Amino acid sequence: MKKRVFSGIQPSGILTLGNYLGAIKRFVEMQDEYEAFYCVVDYHAITVPQAPETLRSQIAHTAAFMLGAGLDPEKMTLFVQSDVPAHTQLGWIMECTASFGELSRMTQFKEKSEGKESVSGGLFTYPALMAADILLYDADGVPVGDDQKQHVELCRDLAERFNSRFGKVFKVPEPIIGETGARIMSLQDPHKKMSKSDPNPAGYISLGDSKDEIVKKVKRAVTDSGREVAYDPEGKPALANLITIFSHCAGKTIDEIVAAYDGKGYAEFKRDLAEAVVEAITPVQEKHDALIADGSFVQILIDGARRAHEVSSRVLKRAKEAMGLSVLLDPEAVRL
Ligand code: TYM
């Protein structure tokens, strides 16, 4: 039997090159080898306020970009989280399994709540819902970028804690993180992750950017002092980030890129980098546009939700029974 993977993407803005290289491109590579479940996690997106029309359109674009990148409905299951009721049900159970202390230690919560006047309860308990997402599919692995590693580790802890209290209900999953590309950094600050919520759009390349915008953003990307194209993540983090992006977009190794620009300056390197990014993204954009135009992604999401419901409802039932919840699941068991 094939091993299972599960992963999710928030529809909280147009996806970035970081989402593409750190996650979606790898989802596509994994769909042959694994039984894969991929989810547009809209409940996660509402941990911060979202306008209904914007949220609806971002769900559509996120799904269309994922399919545009090459996810194939014949090979994997793609669905929207709020269409599958087991997620919030097991989410609550995971909230009751997690401790306040452990949720307080999540670095993403600390970053996202810092300096905010008002923070939703959901932003705090978010990793418990994420754990539920993963555990509902008996996932062996979770392909994610580096920033989600701590959340997957919490998921493992929660699964183990639950299993030791109630018997072996959940499979304990492993994070699957790429060696390079798992942490694509901002084009304006190599110490900050490339993120769709960056207030400065020059920091990220979005999958929706035009060729001209991409060329401009790459040209304006910060580089380190010196003239030589050398890969030195410690000493020259900005350049190392650009070389990593180049390597993934062009399908070449870091060494090949460095060798190709031996004795050449940053200008030539950046010109070719922009071209490689455009070449990598353009086919994804074209397929995305076609899917949005003909609306065919909608049926794919409906079929995906059905399949996800079948699988997740069985795991949820196992968890509820093990905990002693519900009358309907087993009416005989509650006759005292
Ligand atoms: P999200 O929506 O922020 O990001 C989606 C995926 O993209 C990766 N990623 C990056 N990878 C490399 N470089 C970057 N700059 C970069 N930015 C984002 C993320 O690591 C992620 O893999 N909590 C998750 C969504 C989620 C989830 C899940 C993931 C909810 N439930 C269950 C896995 C399994 C999140 O906010 O990802």
Side-chain angles (χ1 to χ4, degrees), residues 127-180:
L129 179 60
M130 175 163 163
D133 297 339
I134 298 165
L135 299 178
L136 281 170
Y137 297 88
D138 286 332
D140 298 280
V142 189
V144 281
D146 197 52
D147 61 327
Q148 296 300 318
K149 191 168 173 223
Q150 193 187 29
H151 291 161
V152 180
E153 272 158 10
L154 175 70
C155 170
R156 290 172 55 84
D157 291 345
L158 299 183
E160 278 165 1
R161 185 173 311 152
F162 187 101
N163 286 350
S164 74
R165 278 190 201 152
F166 302 112
K168 198 179 167 338
V169 171
F170 296 125
K171 182 166 260 175
V172 182
E174 298 281 347
I176 306 179
I177 296 173
E179 269 170 44
T180 65

Side-chain angles (χ1 to χ4, degrees), residues 49-122:
Q50 302 283 348
E53 280 316 311
T54 315
L55 181 59
R56 226 186 308 278
S57 113
Q58 278 166 1
I59 291 171
H61 286 299
T62 303
F65 275 123
M66 292 172 83
L67 293 164
L71 289 181
D72 178 349
E74 301 285 320
K75 295 182 179 167
M76 54 87 232
T77 303
L78 178 67
F79 67 101
V80 175
Q81 187 183 31
S82 63
D83 284 332
V84 179
H87 287 253
T88 38
Q89 293 189 50
L90 189 65
W92 175 253
I93 294 173
M94 287 298 121
E95 281 183 42
C96 298
T97 309
S99 74
F100 183 85
E102 109 199 293
L103 291 172
S104 310
R105 284 194 290 277
M106 294 293 114
T107 54
Q108 198 162 68
F109 173 72
K110 289 189 212 165
E111 280 164 24
K112 289 198 173 175
S113 58
E114 205 184 301
K116 294 259 162 62
E117 225 171 75
S118 163
V119 170
S120 73

Side-chain angles (χ1 to χ4, degrees), residues 34-298:
Y34 292 87
E35 186 182 359
F37 289 85
Y38 299 126
C39 183
V40 178
V41 290
D42 53 351
Y43 277 137
H44 280 90
I46 62 164
T47 51
V48 296
Q50 302 283 348
E53 280 316 311
T54 315
L55 181 59
R56 226 186 308 278
S57 113
Q58 278 166 1
I59 291 171
H61 286 299
T62 303
F65 275 123
M66 292 172 83
L67 293 164
L71 289 181
D72 178 349
E74 301 285 320
K75 295 182 179 167
M76 54 87 232
T77 303
L78 178 67
F79 67 101
V80 175
Q81 187 183 31
S82 63
D83 284 332
V84 179
H87 287 253
T88 38
Q89 293 189 50
L90 189 65
W92 175 253
I93 294 173
M94 287 298 121
E95 281 183 42
C96 298
T97 309
S99 74
F100 183 85
E102 109 199 293
L103 291 172
S104 310
R105 284 194 290 277
M106 294 293 114
T107 54
Q108 198 162 68
F109 173 72
K110 289 189 212 165
E111 280 164 24
K112 289 198 173 175
S113 58
E114 205 184 301
K116 294 259 162 62
E117 225 171 75
S118 163
V119 170
S120 73
L123 192 69
F124 182 68
T125 56
Y126 167 122
L129 179 60
M130 175 163 163
D133 297 339
I134 298 165
L135 299 178
L136 281 170
Y137 297 88
D138 286 332
D140 298 280
V142 189
V144 281
D146 197 52
D147 61 327
Q148 296 300 318
K149 191 168 173 223
Q150 193 187 29
H151 291 161
V152 180
E153 272 158 10
L154 175 70
C155 170
R156 290 172 55 84
D157 291 345
L158 299 183
E160 278 165 1
R161 185 173 311 152
F162 187 101
N163 286 350
S164 74
R165 278 190 201 152
F166 302 112
K168 198 179 167 338
V169 171
F170 296 125
K171 182 166 260 175
V172 182
E174 298 281 347
I176 306 179
I177 296 173
E179 269 170 44
T180 65
R183 198 165 177 78
I184 300 293
M185 309 310 281
S186 157
L187 300 182
Q188 292 297 315
D189 178 355
H191 302 290
K192 245 175 56 186
K193 180 188 83 162
M194 181 183 283
S195 162
K196 51 192 175 247
S197 54
D198 189 336
N200 177 8
Y204 60 86
I205 290 174
S206 128
L207 293 188
D209 282 348
S210 67
K211 181 172 187 282
D212 287 351
E213 280 167 320
I214 294 171
V215 170
K216 247 189 245 156
K217 286 182 181 181
V218 171
K219 238 189 215 164
R220 284 183 55 197
V222 296
T223 41
D224 306 278
S225 55
R227 301 205 61 250
E228 201 192 329
V229 178
Y231 184 74
D232 173 9
E234 296 286 312
K236 293 183 162 201
L239 192 58
N241 185 44
L242 297 182
I243 295 173
T244 303
I245 294 175
F246 202 159
S247 136
H248 280 272
C249 289
K252 291 189 177 145
T253 64
I254 304 264
D255 289 347
E256 282 169 342
I257 305 280
V258 172
Y261 292 90
D262 186 24
K264 297 177 185 166
Y266 287 169
E268 193 170 344
F269 167 77
K270 279 183 160 184
R271 190 196 62 209
D272 295 352
L273 166 61
E275 202 172 299
V277 174
V278 169
E279 262 177 42
I281 286 184
T282 307
V284 179
Q285 291 178 330
E286 286 170 358
K287 281 186 224 143
H288 158 276
D289 295 351
L291 285 153
I292 293 287
D294 70 12
S296 54
F297 69 94
V298 177

